[in-house]
Amino acid sequence: MRSYTLVAPAKINLYLEIIGDRPDGYHELVMILQSIDLADQIDLHAGGNDNIRVRCDHPQVPLDGSNIAYRAAKLMATEFSEAFAKYGGVDITIHKHIPVAAGLAGGSTNAAAVLLGMNLLWNLGLTQSELEELGATLGSDVPFCVAGGTALATGRGEQLSVLPSLDKIYLVLGKYRSLEVSTAWAYKSYRQQFGSSYIRDQNDLAARAAAVHSGPMVKAILHQDGVEIGQKLHNDLERVVLPTYPQVLRLREIFASTGVLGTMMSGSGPSVFALCESKEQAEQVKLEVRERIPDEDLELFVTRMITHGIQVISSV
Ligand code: C5P
């Protein structure tokens, strides 16, 4: 095959707790990650020369070595130099639907799609866990994007335990186009303000992660209980992002006043989602929020939870 087209879904965080510092400068996290039916499309084409080239229809997405999808292709070329010599470079075309710099892992899921696609394009036969391991060197969310579905993530976010999948739970997602939050800034601010409460002892860190694993949110997921999931949503990064971005706080407050199952910022924001009982309720909430915030800069999506990560939709 010379070309693959893949679908690369976004994720939301149903749970994000910052529990400690790490020697590598990152944070120890306990998260519950969920794939959603809002996805980019990635076309991969064997280039026939030794170039890696990225195209994208979104003006904010860089096309050079700072693009994580480009870095994913470069990583494959370095790790599998014989395949690179045999098959040559790759043309990557990203059709962007996931809002950029939104806390939805848009870049990470593009990188995951490139890893999966190049594994096929170059007949490498890598397993999912090998792809996840490669992904972890690119970014903390990339392994989850390879796996998809519903998972508990610990460590930097790269150590995954699969949870029972959720699907058919609908949500409305809001993101101000012009608003971007730097993930590094959000974590740094959190450390400055709340670092003194971090758990220092390794055993206590493991115990905290285990407590979340057997805690109320995972129980709610086991029971597929949307009401309970809505009540147990949690994201520590709201503590630094919401006070800094009043627009995001207001959006969250408006979602909360519409009678949804629960609302929360995703990742480091600034996207905010609201869980709904049905597609109809989600459409209704979208209309209501649009009426109350008639600002064209605010993008609103109705989407739902899905049980998969990257999928190949065609090959030629
Ligand atoms: O891993 P990724 O490149 O997505 O992380 C972006 C930034 O977020 C990191 O540079 C770091 O500042 C912060 N981060 C963190 N702890 C994590 C994940 C991310 O401090 N577990």
Side-chain angles (χ1 to χ4, degrees):
M1 299 290 173
R2 309 253 325 136
S3 297
Y4 284 89
T5 297
L6 303 105
V7 169
K11 63 90 184 146
I12 53 169
N13 296 76
L14 299 178
Y15 191 91
L16 190 163
E17 184 179 337
I18 299 172
I19 57 174
D21 254 328
R22 293 168 55 92
D24 59 11
Y26 282 69
H27 285 86
E28 280 292 328
L29 306 176
V30 194
M31 301 190 286
I32 296 171
L33 301 166
Q34 174 64 51
S35 300
I36 57 171
D37 195 20
L38 172 65
D40 292 338
Q41 185 185 307
I42 310 289
D43 300 330
L44 284 186
H45 183 70
N49 53 36
D50 58 3
N51 294 331
I52 294 166
R53 198 164 56 173
V54 178
R55 293 192 189 89
C56 183
D57 51 9
H58 192 298
Q60 273 165 278
V61 174
L63 305 178
D64 59 11
S66 65
N67 184 313
I68 190 170
Y70 180 98
R71 289 201 286 118
K74 190 92 187 143
L75 174 69
M76 294 299 265
T78 310
E79 290 287 316
F80 305 100
S81 50
E82 276 180 28
F84 185 38
K86 181 173 172 191
Y87 296 102
V90 63
D91 285 341
I92 303 166
T93 306
I94 304 169
H95 304 276
K96 253 292 153 224
H97 305 292
I98 305 171
V100 176
L104 299 170
S108 302
T109 194
N110 294 171
V114 169
L115 297 180
L116 253 99
M118 287 182 72
N119 183 36
L120 297 169
L121 210 54
W122 289 359
N123 294 306
L124 296 171
L126 299 172
T127 62
Q128 180 170 313
S129 68
E130 286 169 331
L131 292 169
E132 287 174 16
E133 231 172 86
L134 283 168
T137 68
L138 296 166
S140 309
D141 286 338
V142 180
F144 172 75
C145 292
V146 169
T150 310
L152 184 105
T154 54
R156 237 170 8 104
E158 87 291 13
Q159 289 169 29
L160 303 175
S161 311
V162 177
L163 294 175
S165 356
L166 293 170
D167 68 347
K168 300 194 187 81
I169 296 186
Y170 279 85
L171 52 134
V172 188
L173 190 73
K175 156 85 176 42
Y176 284 96
R177 278 191 190 84
S178 61
L179 213 59
E180 290 186 11
V181 174
S182 147
T183 305
W185 167 84
Y187 279 103
K188 193 167 145 225
S189 305
Y190 193 89
R191 182 186 280 121
Q192 280 164 356
Q193 290 183 52
F194 306 108
S196 60
S197 66
Y198 287 177
I199 301 172
R200 309 274 163 208
D201 182 271
Q202 285 303 318
N203 292 329
D204 294 346
L205 284 170
R208 182 64 208 142
V212 175
H213 205 159
S214 58
M217 176 56 104
V218 173
K219 286 210 175 82
I221 291 170
L222 283 170
H223 298 141
Q224 308 271 315
D225 184 340
V227 174
E228 200 61 20
I229 292 169
Q231 284 169 9
K232 299 293 183 259
L233 296 171
H234 178 84
N235 184 350
D236 274 339
L237 289 174
E238 285 199 335
R239 295 170 80 186
V240 289
V241 178
L242 297 185
T244 313
Y245 296 92
Q247 265 176 306
V248 182
L249 175 62
R250 179 153 177 268
L251 174 61
R252 194 190 184 294
E253 283 170 352
I254 288 177
F255 270 138
S257 71
T258 57
V260 292
L261 298 175
T263 179
M264 189 63 44
M265 188 179 82
S266 182
S268 54
S271 64
V272 176
F273 64 88
L275 302 187
C276 297
E277 271 166 27
S278 62
K279 184 165 194 266
E280 291 68 35
Q281 187 194 19
E283 296 289 359
Q284 192 51 46
V285 167
K286 180 181 164 184
L287 282 178
E288 193 176 330
V289 172
R290 174 56 74 215
E291 246 171 53
R292 290 172 67 182
I293 312 180
D295 181 350
E296 283 298 306
D297 196 43
L298 176 66
E299 280 185 290
L300 290 164
F301 305 85
V302 167
T303 182
R304 68 180 176 91
M305 299 184 186
I306 55 171
T307 59
H308 62 82
I310 310 297
Q311 281 186 325
V312 176
I313 53 168
S314 73
S315 55
V316 184

